[in-house]
Amino acid sequence: FRDGYNATIMAYGQTGSGKTFTMGSEAHGSSEEIDIANDDGDDGANVHIGLIPRFMADVFASLEEQKRRAASEAAAAAAAAAAPTLFL
């Protein structure tokens, strides 16, 4: 998604087969519950979160990680620029 690729998710099937449930209509929980559901553990926490809320939580987590990484790299670059240079 962030690399410039587009994606479409389609749900096709018989009436009453659970398309809306799978895509996310049952996601009435908080973002903390979505984070727990994205955890790779086997605790089975909040199994009723659909694909779309899981995807959006992952997108925002990825953006936050990118922001943290950029801030860390900027701080390291500033520290390197502020370090005294010895000329022999």
Side-chain angles (χ1 to χ4, degrees):
F1 173 75
R2 290 180 28 231
D3 293 331
Y5 296 99
N6 293 322
T8 301
I9 300 173
M10 287 184 56
Y12 178 81
Q14 184 175 358
T15 300
S17 63
K19 299 175 296 295
T20 304
F21 180 86
T22 300
M23 296 305 284
S25 71
E26 292 300 313
H28 300 293
S30 68
S31 61
E32 293 170 355
E33 291 173 334
I34 292 172
D35 289 340
I36 292 169
N38 283 336
D39 191 13
D40 291 331
D42 288 337
D43 58 359
N46 208 346
V47 294
H48 297 292
I49 293 176
L51 293 175
I52 294 171
R54 289 174 193 257
F55 173 73
M56 294 309 298
D58 190 48
V59 166
F60 285 107
S62 177
L63 291 172
E64 285 295 322
E65 177 60 32
Q66 181 182 12
K67 188 167 109 177
R68 271 185 254 133
R69 191 175 304 128
S72 175
E73 290 172 2
T85 305
L86 298 176
F87 295 102
L88 301 176

